[in-house]
């Protein structure tokens, strides 16, 4: 199996990338193999820096996702609802920080991310969850934990373009693991810019945008009885990539 070479990038610290926080942004997602990704990285090594924390460039993340009893968040995504929610707790293992995070997508396709520091990602009280969700969304929701997701991520940054790229590898959902066969790439920009060096490098490798949610894919794979007709082409593509 091919290995990622992340040493080709110059490092950037958390403080240096503060100007590219992009809590309000446009997200464009892609899926690829490690071999495809390596080709892309070699093309853009002079255009981006890589986030480095305590000498680490590939960071571990763990997330717990929440949904309503009827899985409204999952079904809203499946049914193509433009304004939708994603709620999770996430632990940033390298920095030992945990947050309650809410991602809201508006009808224009822009994502607004809100988050609150918590003591531990898996020790959130029901009252604390309800209070913050109501504060951010104005909704009174009865939420339950649905699925756990683990992965490693590295982050590329171009401060001049106000652009970040996150790359997720070694994805796992509960007992399911994709090992290093599947790569999920997310291009985060103030507004969609196809002239981005990274976007152009992806296109050169015939890697095209594909709306994908780690939460929805994990739920669909673990719960085959869930409505998932719209996700089937994506699931087939993932299966093709991961069985090569």
């Amino acid at each position: 199996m091919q290995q990622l070479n992340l040493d080709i990038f110059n490092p950037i610290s958390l403080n240096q990338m503060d100007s590219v926080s992009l809590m309000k942004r446009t997200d464009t997602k892609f899926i690829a193999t490690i071999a495809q990704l390596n080709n892309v990285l070699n093309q853009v090594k002079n255009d981006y820096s890589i986030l480095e924390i305590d000498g680490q460039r590939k960071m571990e993340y763990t997330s717990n996702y929440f949904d309503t009893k009827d899985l409204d968040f999952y079904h809203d995504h499946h049914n193509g609802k433009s304004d939708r929610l994603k709620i999770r707790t996430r632990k940033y293992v390298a920095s030992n920080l945990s947050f309650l995070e809410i991602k809201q997508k508006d009808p224009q396709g822009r994502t607004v991310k809100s988050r609150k520091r918590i003591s531990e990602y898996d020790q959130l009280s029901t009252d604390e969850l309800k209070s913050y969700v109501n504060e951010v969304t104005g909704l009174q929701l009865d939420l339950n934990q649905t699925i756990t997701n683990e992965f490693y991520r590295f982050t590329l940054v171009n401060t001049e373009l106000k652009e970040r790229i996150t790359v997720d590898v070694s994805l796992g959902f509960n007992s399911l693991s994709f090992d290093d066969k599947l790569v999920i790439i997310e291009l985060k920009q103030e507004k969609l810019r196809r002239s981005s060096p990274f976007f152009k490098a992806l296109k050169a490798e015939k890697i095209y945008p594909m709306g994908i949610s780690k939460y929805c894919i994990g739920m669909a794979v673990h719960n085959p009885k869930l409505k998932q007709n719209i996700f089937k082409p994506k699931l087939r593509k993932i299966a093709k990539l991961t069985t090569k």
Side-chain angles (χ1 to χ4, degrees):
M1 182 181 298
Q2 283 202 9
Q3 298 296 314
L4 286 172
N5 180 14
L6 303 183
D7 294 332
I8 59 177
F9 294 97
N10 290 323
I12 189 171
S13 69
L14 273 174
N15 289 337
Q16 290 174 310
M17 61 178 277
D18 277 349
S19 62
V20 201
S21 59
L22 295 175
M23 300 302 276
K24 295 182 180 180
R25 66 193 186 222
T26 296
D27 298 335
T28 311
K29 295 182 181 180
F30 310 79
I31 64 172
T33 64
I34 291 287
Q36 288 176 309
L37 175 62
N38 274 329
N39 291 338
V40 170
L41 296 182
N42 283 322
Q43 292 180 56
V44 301
K45 61 186 178 183
N46 296 320
D47 298 297
Y48 297 88
S49 301
I50 190 168
L51 175 63
E52 184 173 292
I53 300 175
D54 295 331
Q56 294 185 58
R57 297 187 169 198
K58 195 166 67 170
M59 321 294 181
E60 184 179 359
Y61 290 67
T62 304
S63 304
N64 285 330
Y65 286 92
F66 296 84
D67 209 329
T68 66
K69 181 179 66 173
D70 295 325
L71 302 179
D72 291 327
F73 301 165
Y74 172 87
H75 291 295
D76 284 349
H77 193 110
H78 179 275
N79 296 336
K81 187 177 178 183
S82 56
D83 52 329
R84 56 183 186 260
L85 283 172
K86 185 181 294 177
I87 299 175
R88 68 188 177 215
T89 52
R90 171 166 286 179
K91 183 172 185 178
Y92 297 74
V93 178
S95 54
N96 196 30
L97 296 175
S98 297
F99 294 89
L100 169 57
E101 301 182 340
I102 300 176
K103 294 178 75 174
Q104 299 170 277
K105 181 158 282 191
D106 66 23
Q108 288 71 47
R110 291 182 63 83
T111 299
V112 179
K113 181 178 175 181
S114 307
R115 69 179 189 176
K116 172 186 178 181
R117 177 85 180 270
I118 56 176
S119 57
E120 284 291 337
Y121 85 102
D122 58 351
Q123 295 178 9
L124 182 70
S125 72
T126 301
D127 288 343
E128 188 177 7
L129 172 63
K130 286 183 176 180
S131 175
Y132 188 64
V133 171
N134 182 56
E135 175 189 335
V136 173
T137 68
L139 301 173
Q140 294 282 356
L141 298 170
D142 186 14
L143 300 174
N144 302 292
Q145 184 181 326
T146 53
I147 197 169
T148 298
N149 169 229
E150 298 177 344
F151 59 95
Y152 284 83
R153 166 176 290 182
F154 65 89
T155 301
L156 302 178
V157 182
N158 185 312
T159 54
E160 291 183 5
L161 295 177
K162 304 292 185 185
E163 185 174 281
R164 285 191 294 125
I165 298 100
T166 59
V167 182
D168 297 345
V169 298
S170 303
L171 283 91
F173 301 92
N174 292 4
S175 58
L176 170 70
S177 175
F178 286 108
D179 298 317
D180 282 327
K181 296 178 180 178
L182 178 67
V183 174
I184 296 182
I185 302 163
E186 190 165 357
L187 177 57
K188 307 170 194 287
Q189 303 169 304
E190 290 182 316
K191 60 181 179 179
L192 179 61
R193 225 181 9 253
R194 290 183 174 85
S195 60
S196 153
F198 205 92
F199 200 108
K200 291 196 289 187
L202 288 166
K203 185 177 180 180
E205 290 298 316
K206 298 182 179 180
I207 303 170
Y208 302 109
M210 188 180 84
I212 185 171
S213 160
K214 291 193 290 293
Y215 171 60
C216 291
I217 293 301
M219 289 292 288
V221 170
H222 272 284
N223 303 276
K225 292 183 179 179
L226 278 177
K227 183 180 180 182
Q228 51 186 267
N229 293 341
I230 300 300
F231 295 146
K232 283 183 178 178
K234 299 174 184 180
L235 292 169
R236 284 195 293 268
K237 184 169 183 178
I238 289 171
K240 184 178 179 180
L241 287 176
T242 56
T243 53
K244 284 185 178 181

